[in-house]
Amino acid sequence: MIRSHCLRRTPAAPARPGPRRVLPAVGVLLAAALLTACGGRPLQAGAAAVVGPDRITEAAVQARVAEFRAQAARLPSGQYQEQAGLVGATVSGMIFSEVVAQALAEHRLTVSDTEVAQARSDQAQAWGGEAGLEQMLLLKHAVPAREIDNFHREQIGLQKLAALGGRQIGTTDGNKTVHQLLAEAAAQLKVTVNPRYGSWDAQQAVLDSPSEDWLPQSGAAA
């Protein structure tokens, strides 16, 4: 799978392999006190999206973005550059996490804390320690430090979804399997999105006009 970058690493920084996740960058400014999106459900003021029974508030989105920017600001000068679409990408990522969780629940799959801890340890070792891991995930995937465990839980979950069809994530067949399962989960949740962050495509289970789809593409490589 692929994922858009919200910060650009300078050419001097070494390129290393890392986990990938899909996040789009979208944003259409539209304010309203009471909103109704493609799913037909009303969105109360202050909601960025409604995913099943859960409401993703604009305050939660703003807090996540603020956390990301505060951590990025502590990096050495010239090591990062924020690109357009960070807020929309954040909303989409929060929706994505809910959809992955739904897909796992539907198929009675779980990810243990032990699995998450092992994945984090392996990645930290590959990146020269926790500090290196935090910087890599921030720059490459816009993941703030407090979300690292959730990021790894999500990645392991995607691998388990692919394994349902005897596939591996990152292969054509594996991505196709995961895409189908996530689309089904998104349809079950009846995702509704505040139009300021984009419009919801119920058939494709994506936000319209993202720079990159947040679901794995059936023919995409990791």
Side-chain angles (χ1 to χ4, degrees):
M1 292 182 293
I2 54 177
R3 185 177 185 227
S4 60
H5 304 325
C6 291
L7 294 180
R8 184 180 295 114
R9 190 185 291 271
T10 60
R16 304 192 191 186
R20 294 181 178 184
R21 176 186 176 197
V22 183
L23 277 181
V26 292
V28 179
L29 184 61
L30 178 64
L34 188 63
L35 303 169
T36 302
C38 297
R41 292 190 294 175
L43 268 175
Q44 296 179 355
V50 176
V51 186
D54 298 325
R55 181 172 175 263
I56 298 175
T57 67
E58 292 187 310
V61 173
Q62 292 166 5
R64 180 78 62 87
V65 171
E67 181 181 8
F68 169 84
R69 287 174 171 158
Q71 187 178 341
R74 293 193 293 270
L75 295 174
S77 178
Q79 197 166 21
Y80 67 92
Q81 178 183 347
E82 183 175 321
Q83 299 179 19
L86 174 60
V87 176
T90 299
V91 173
S92 189
M94 295 171 80
I95 295 172
F96 181 72
S97 295
E98 297 273 2
V99 173
V100 172
Q102 175 70 16
L104 292 173
E106 286 180 0
H107 295 279
R108 299 181 181 179
L109 296 172
T110 60
V111 178
S112 70
D113 292 342
T114 300
E115 289 175 304
V116 171
Q118 185 61 57
R120 179 166 184 160
S121 176
D122 291 345
Q123 282 292 305
Q125 184 175 4
W127 285 87
E130 277 289 322
L133 174 63
E134 289 183 10
Q135 181 171 315
M136 182 275 290
L137 289 180
L138 187 79
L139 291 171
K140 288 179 68 68
H141 304 302
V143 177
R146 286 197 298 180
E147 293 299 319
I148 290 178
D149 281 352
N150 290 334
F151 177 83
H152 283 110
R153 189 177 302 278
E154 187 177 289
Q155 297 303 298
I156 297 168
L158 292 172
Q159 294 169 15
K160 291 189 176 187
L161 289 173
L164 286 175
R167 310 296 184 181
Q168 289 186 338
I169 197 72
T171 65
T172 298
D173 289 340
N175 285 351
K176 184 177 180 179
T177 295
V178 174
H179 185 281
Q180 179 179 348
L181 293 174
L182 294 183
E184 290 172 356
Q188 182 70 24
L189 289 171
K190 299 179 180 178
V191 179
T192 305
V193 181
N194 186 321
R196 75 168 60 191
Y197 304 110
S199 59
W200 183 249
D201 185 328
Q203 291 186 339
Q204 296 298 318
V206 295
L207 288 173
D208 280 343
S209 302
S211 61
E212 295 177 359
D213 288 343
W214 60 271
L215 292 178
Q217 294 302 292
S218 59

